[in-house]
Amino acid sequence: MEIENVINLKGIKNNVHEALPQLHGVDPNGNEFSFTNHYMVRDGHPFFGICGEFHFSRYNCDEWEDELIKMKMGGINIVPTYVIWNHHEEVKDQFIWSGNKDLRRFVKLCKKHGLDVILRIGPWDHGEVRNGGYPDWLYGEPLEVRSNDKLYLHYVEKLYEEIGKQVHGLFFENGGPIIGIQLENEFQHAGASWEITTGTSDEWIPAGHGGNEHIKSLLRLTKKVGMNVPIYTGTAWGGAVAETDTVLPLWGGYAFWPWIFYDKNVKEHPATPEYIYRDYRYPTYNFDPTYNPKEVPYAACEMGGGMTVFYSYRFKLPYQSVDAMTNVKVASGCNFVGYYVYHGGSNPRGIKTPYLNEAATPKINYDYQAVLGQFGQPRESYYRLKRQHYFFKDFQDDFCPMETVLPEGAQDIDPTDDKTLRYSVRQKDGKGFIFLNNYQDHIKGTDKEHEVINLELDNESLRVPFSGTFGLKNEESCILPFNFDMDGILIKTATVQLITKVESKGESYYFFYQPRGMEPELALDSTTIDNIDSEDIESYGDHIVIRPVKGELTNYKMKSANGKKVNVYVMTSQQSLDFWKFNFAGKDNIALSASPLLADGNNLKMESNDSNVKLTIFKALKNPEIIKNMVKVDEDKLTETYEMEVEKVNFGYKVVKVNDKKMSIHIDTTPLDSSRIKDCLLEVDYEGDIGYAFYEDKLINDDYSNGRVWDIGLKHNVPETKDTVVNLTISPIRKDHYVKSDSPMAARSEENEGEVANINEIKLTPIYKFNLISLFN
């Protein structure tokens, strides 16, 4: 049975005008940042910001460059990073800016690879850091934190001075990459434990007071020490202070809330409203601005790129939840997305305090189930987001000015409703994109089937699909174009998602993919087409309809009525996850690979947990340079596949079991010195409460058990020896445990009705490096 959905797109006006005049900057080369009420403007053009949070002090500095390239390959164009106070001044008046804490080196690497930077300079950060980032010594000072207390501001100024020195000359006004600074975080909204008192008085750092005057005080200090940027930002959710005369308010959203279990009365996580389409020109769920939302662009800095496991809430983050949230936020009017965090890491050890984490979270592990993991592991969310990011960036000029239009009742859908189709439209002048989402957290959803969307435009009505109906698999989301101009050829409607476009030898190449559960179709305006080199088409009056073979890569060569040659590729969903667009030797290239591809313009590398990697290229876009060191292993009508193999590396090991919850792993780690090896992951499949990994007397990693295999990177945690011993201890889950304290003497002991702790399997997985080509060799 056909399910009809109707959305009225008539009479929609796109009122785009200049906004936030104080947030503006020009560099020495005339490059410029400014804002409209819908989006950021860069050099006179709409700019779609894609922020991937990466904390430099939580990652090994020798790996920063490859990880930044990996982020750029994933579509990131802005890197926000916390400058965490207690990572740099744990001991009063002793600042550390070397090694993994070398902020200047990190920012210069961002500049090298064309990535903009937003510094989140605090002084209070949160970020699951001990004291929210405050050093312990601040607790003992005669002052009031997060206020205009003179002594507090004195220490903040010293911190800002030190940060300013480290990045001197790297601001946008100097031609550097630092375009923004975040002042404070969640001011007058959230606090954190003073960890020095945790377990005794459990005292909390206040949310702060002083309102916008305090934020203005912090702004004055940043400028006083020479940190001038086009964009000052502030987190705005939950009533936090972020006035538009001072900062760009930033929003966000998480669907997994470990903090709600601080309330012991909460037993079950609710389905959240995060996956309901909204219109951010008006106040709505988790968006209650103090300003007129029609006059300020909706921008985000903390969309759940992951979420750390808290002790009281163990969960596997569904990686489909990440790109689904991006779909919903962008459909709702966001042109500036931000993931917290995009790249996981490890908490550094302290000088006086062993562990600089928040006590509710692991001591070392800050994997965060992020898009890129604690040791750079690409998650499914990395590949899923990449195909969205390419689209947002490559079509930002046309896309950013498009208005959000919701079907009637869209914002009123209950999160537990898995029957009603969730969709929204962004459009301008009768052209646009339909956003569909079939993901919802904390419920078991269903596939959508037999759906139809009717678009009621000013001058026409469009039916999607052109004929028949469409479906969408559970936990999938997608973006479908309508009245989309492919260099003169007009797509009236389509049930395939656009990823990107490249130009080569005067021809255009457009890449689409088939969303899972959806029959692929493109309906074209026949009056815009001279010819199509395919017999697999149908004509319906002024429409030509193409129905690509489901589950196969198909290609259509077209010529527009104005003479432009246009090539259309429609990929499978899996091929879209393996899709890479990259610049090498000044030319845009397209390839397919299941392994991470790292291109920096002059070098092309890959990473894999296999000693063999494959790269598939499109014959029509073949660049012999990128495959000259690879061997062809397969070819079909449209593509050629090449491979490279390196010699396998064997990390020999033996396991010495003490009991179910303790064992020693004796590992030959000498291969870590090999140029072929990026890292080696010790993979632990276990049951229990918390996993601890020690090398000698040092805790090198820990994990709150959530059912996922625990990865421990060895490269920067242990030496390269023939017999490196890593000791694993699993703290047990204790049934009905209690403390026995009925002794007449000073004695207590723990009693329980049984324990669960078991190490099921140990694996060692090398991560290989492949240098495909370098222009300097």
Side-chain angles (χ1 to χ4, degrees):
M1 179 180 173
E2 184 176 296
I3 305 170
E4 187 174 20
N5 305 273
V6 181
I7 183 168
N8 182 8
L9 302 174
K10 294 179 179 179
I12 304 300
K13 303 297 181 184
N14 298 69
N15 181 22
V16 177
H17 54 264
E18 292 180 2
L20 303 172
Q22 76 278 15
L23 300 181
H24 172 266
V26 182
D27 77 1
N29 298 314
N31 300 306
E32 186 175 10
F33 271 114
S34 61
F35 284 91
T36 73
N37 59 329
H38 278 59
Y39 49 84
M40 188 188 298
V41 178
R42 185 168 199 163
D43 301 333
H45 293 276
F47 176 73
F48 195 104
I50 306 173
C51 303
E53 185 108 0
F54 182 20
H55 300 154
F56 67 97
S57 58
R58 281 172 156 159
Y59 212 77
N60 188 279
C61 57
D62 294 333
E63 310 295 340
W64 284 343
E65 184 161 22
D66 276 357
E67 297 308 300
L68 288 169
I69 295 171
K70 201 183 297 180
M71 291 172 67
K72 186 176 181 179
M73 292 294 294
I76 298 300
N77 53 25
I78 302 173
V79 180
T81 190
Y82 273 138
V83 185
I84 300 171
W85 194 349
N86 63 11
H87 286 191
H88 299 282
E89 195 193 7
E90 184 189 352
V91 178
K92 188 176 179 180
D93 295 327
Q94 295 182 23
F95 282 92
I96 300 173
W97 299 102
S98 59
N100 298 348
K101 300 174 183 180
D102 190 342
L103 173 61
R104 186 173 187 84
R105 177 182 174 186
F106 182 80
V107 173
K108 288 177 76 172
L109 285 171
C110 289
K111 179 180 180 180
K112 176 180 176 181
H113 296 288
L115 292 162
D116 295 320
V117 175
I118 294 176
L119 298 181
R120 303 180 84 179
I121 62 172
W124 191 83
D125 304 315
H126 196 215
E128 291 73 53
V129 185
R130 182 178 176 87
N131 309 325
Y134 283 152
D136 277 17
W137 57 262
L138 199 64
Y139 180 78
E141 294 290 323
L143 53 79
E144 187 174 2
V145 298
R146 307 184 83 177
S147 77
N148 279 340
D149 179 293
K150 288 184 179 180
L151 183 57
Y152 174 68
L153 291 180
H154 165 74
Y155 288 127
V156 171
E157 183 176 351
K158 286 182 64 179
L159 170 67
Y160 284 7
E161 273 184 335
E162 287 289 330
I163 295 171
K165 289 176 187 175
Q166 296 304 311
V167 291
H168 178 72
L170 294 175
F171 295 100
F172 184 73
E173 67 178 8
N174 314 118
I178 303 174
I179 64 168
I181 286 175
Q182 179 180 301
L183 303 170
E184 247 279 352
N185 188 47
E186 300 180 313
F187 182 63
Q188 290 188 195
H189 166 62
S193 297
W194 272 116
E195 297 291 346
I196 197 169
T197 72
T198 295
T200 50
S201 67
D202 291 333
E203 184 180 359
W204 276 63
I205 295 165
H209 67 84
N212 198 43
E213 283 307 308
H214 179 60
I215 300 300
K216 285 184 174 179
S217 294
L218 298 181
L219 178 60
R220 283 193 292 271
L221 291 180
T222 64
K223 293 184 174 182
K224 180 180 178 182
V225 302
M227 293 197 287
N228 299 302
V229 291
I231 308 164
Y232 295 92
T233 73
T235 50
W237 53 82
V241 176
E243 299 295 333
T244 57
D245 65 347
T246 311
V247 297
L248 171 69
L250 296 180
W251 302 86
Y254 294 102
F256 295 83
W257 305 337
W259 50 86
I260 67 170
F261 293 98
Y262 279 117
D263 182 346
K264 301 304 180 184
N265 295 316
V266 176
K267 303 301 181 185
E268 186 176 347
H269 198 300
T272 73
E274 290 294 345
Y275 296 96
I276 305 297
Y277 289 113
R278 305 185 181 280
D279 184 347
Y280 289 130
R281 293 173 302 172
Y282 305 93
T284 183
Y285 166 77
N286 199 26
F287 180 59
D288 52 350
T290 57
Y291 52 86
N292 182 351
K294 293 183 180 180
E295 297 300 315
V296 178
Y298 180 94
C301 68
E302 288 200 27
M303 292 158 44
M307 176 50 68
T308 194
V309 177
F310 276 49
Y311 187 80
S312 298
Y313 181 41
R314 314 298 181 88
F315 63 100
K316 289 183 183 180
L317 182 97
Y319 295 130
Q320 308 94 311
S321 69
V322 182
D323 66 304
M325 181 175 288
T326 304
N327 175 298
V328 170
K329 292 288 185 187
V330 173
S332 301
C334 183
N335 292 312
F336 187 103
V337 297
Y339 303 101
Y340 189 96
V341 290
Y342 187 87
H343 201 307
S346 304
N347 293 311
R349 293 167 192 81
I351 300 169
K352 289 189 170 183
T353 305
Y355 309 114
L356 297 178
N357 66 308
E358 180 181 9
T361 61
K363 299 181 186 304
I364 302 295
N365 186 334
Y366 200 67
D367 177 85
Y368 214 81
Q369 304 182 79
V371 179
L372 294 170
Q374 183 183 9
F375 304 104
Q377 314 98 301
R379 305 281 165 57
E380 182 185 346
S381 47
Y382 176 71
Y383 299 101
R384 295 176 70 94
L385 283 173
K386 173 162 55 73
R387 58 193 182 184
Q388 284 189 12
H389 293 164
Y390 289 170
F391 163 67
F392 296 145
K393 289 166 61 176
D394 290 344
F395 299 96
Q396 59 191 357
D397 277 19
D398 293 327
F399 180 77
C400 286
M402 289 181 174
E403 289 276 5
T404 293
V405 186
L406 300 177
E408 187 175 351
Q411 297 188 109
D412 301 323
I413 296 173
D414 189 278
T416 60
D417 177 359
D418 68 338
K419 306 300 183 188
T420 304
L421 184 69
R422 302 182 187 185
Y423 71 104
S424 177
V425 168
R426 283 190 62 172
Q427 74 93 47
K428 183 178 185 292
D429 300 332
K431 304 174 182 180
F433 298 88
I434 303 168
F435 289 75
L436 292 152
N437 172 46
N438 199 24
Y439 175 85
Q440 173 61 53
D441 63 277
H442 296 95
I443 69 166
K444 185 178 181 180
T446 56
D447 294 346
K448 294 290 180 292
E449 296 178 321
H450 311 303
E451 301 281 357
V452 173
I453 296 176
N454 289 307
L455 308 174
E456 300 296 332
L457 298 160
D458 284 331
N459 301 315
E460 63 179 332
S461 295
L462 296 177
R463 183 186 191 275
V464 182
F466 182 80
S467 62
T469 62
F470 70 81
L472 188 63
K473 285 289 187 183
N474 182 37
E475 300 191 330
E476 290 296 313
S477 57
C478 65
I479 307 169
L480 308 178
F482 66 90
N483 281 336
F484 177 75
D485 183 358
M486 291 193 302
D487 291 285
I489 295 176
L490 187 64
I491 296 178
K492 296 300 294 181
T493 64
T495 53
V496 290
Q497 178 165 331
L498 176 61
I499 299 179
T500 192
K501 167 197 173 183
V502 296
E503 289 278 339
S504 179
K505 299 177 181 177
E507 298 186 25
S508 298
Y509 294 80
Y510 288 83
F511 293 86
F512 298 81
Y513 80 91
Q514 307 172 16
R516 291 178 62 244
M518 191 171 285
E519 295 291 334
E521 175 194 272
L522 294 100
L524 311 175
D525 182 342
S526 61
T527 66
T528 65
I529 301 172
D530 182 20
N531 65 69
I532 299 179
D533 184 13
S534 175
E535 297 179 357
D536 185 26
I537 61 174
E538 300 172 14
S539 294
Y540 298 88
D542 57 358
H543 287 78
I544 292 176
V545 177
I546 301 172
R547 294 189 174 89
V549 179
K550 191 172 184 179
E552 292 186 13
L553 172 65
T554 52
N555 168 236
Y556 303 91
K557 297 180 180 180
M558 309 179 189
K559 187 177 181 181
S560 72
N562 61 20
K564 179 74 173 184
K565 291 182 179 180
V566 177
N567 301 269
V568 172
Y569 287 88
V570 180
M571 297 177 288
T572 68
S573 179
Q574 183 56 55
Q575 287 168 334
S576 75
L577 297 174
D578 297 342
F579 184 88
W580 302 90
K581 179 180 180 180
F582 58 98
N583 187 278
F584 185 75
K587 177 184 176 184
D588 283 337
N589 294 269
I590 301 294
L592 303 177
S593 177
S595 302
L597 191 64
L598 285 71
D600 67 359
N602 297 313
N603 300 281
L604 191 60
K605 300 183 284 187
M606 295 178 78
E607 294 178 359
S608 177
N609 57 7
D610 196 317
S611 60
N612 175 292
V613 290
K614 288 184 170 62
L615 190 71
T616 297
I617 62 169
F618 293 84
K619 288 182 176 181
L621 293 166
K622 184 175 181 178
N623 181 350
E625 186 72 19
I626 68 172
I627 51 175
K628 72 178 185 181
N629 294 327
M630 304 184 81
V631 177
K632 185 193 287 189
V633 293
D634 197 10
E635 122 176 67
D636 58 30
K637 182 180 176 182
L638 299 176
T639 66
E640 296 175 349
T641 298
Y642 294 79
E643 74 173 9
M644 177 179 281
E645 191 164 3
V646 296
E647 184 179 349
K648 282 192 174 182
V649 173
N650 180 38
F651 285 84
Y653 70 98
K654 68 176 182 178
V655 175
V656 179
K657 184 175 180 178
V658 177
N659 52 41
D660 286 344
K661 60 187 179 183
K662 282 185 178 287
M663 62 171 55
S664 296
I665 319 296
H666 293 253
I667 309 168
D668 178 2
T669 56
T670 54
L672 287 172
D673 190 40
S674 168
S675 61
R676 301 189 301 276
I677 296 297
K678 177 194 175 186
D679 205 342
C680 180
L681 299 180
L682 172 60
E683 299 181 356
V684 185
D685 182 0
Y686 74 101
E687 299 169 88
D689 189 19
I690 303 175
Y692 298 95
F694 287 86
Y695 171 70
E696 294 184 338
D697 62 344
K698 184 171 68 174
L699 179 70
I700 60 173
N701 207 256
D702 56 337
D703 181 71
Y704 287 176
S705 176
N706 68 344
R708 278 203 168 108
V709 171
W710 171 26
D711 291 342
I712 306 165
L714 298 179
K715 176 78 172 179
H716 300 288
N717 279 316
V718 299
E720 297 146 7
T721 69
K722 287 284 188 182
D723 186 23
T724 297
V725 181
V726 175
N727 293 316
L728 298 179
T729 295
I730 307 300
S731 69
I733 298 173
R734 297 179 298 280
K735 299 177 181 177
D736 299 323
H737 68 99
Y738 63 96
V739 176
K740 181 178 172 62
S741 57
D742 58 356
S743 169
M745 303 300 288
R748 293 183 298 172
S749 63
E750 184 185 61
E751 303 288 333
N752 63 70
E753 300 300 322
E755 295 183 343
V756 176
N758 191 51
I759 301 173
N760 298 322
E761 185 180 14
I762 297 292
K763 283 176 60 180
L764 284 169
T765 301
I767 307 299
Y768 293 90
K769 297 188 293 188
F770 299 81
N771 294 312
L772 271 60
I773 184 69
S774 172
L775 294 184
F776 299 108
N777 288 343

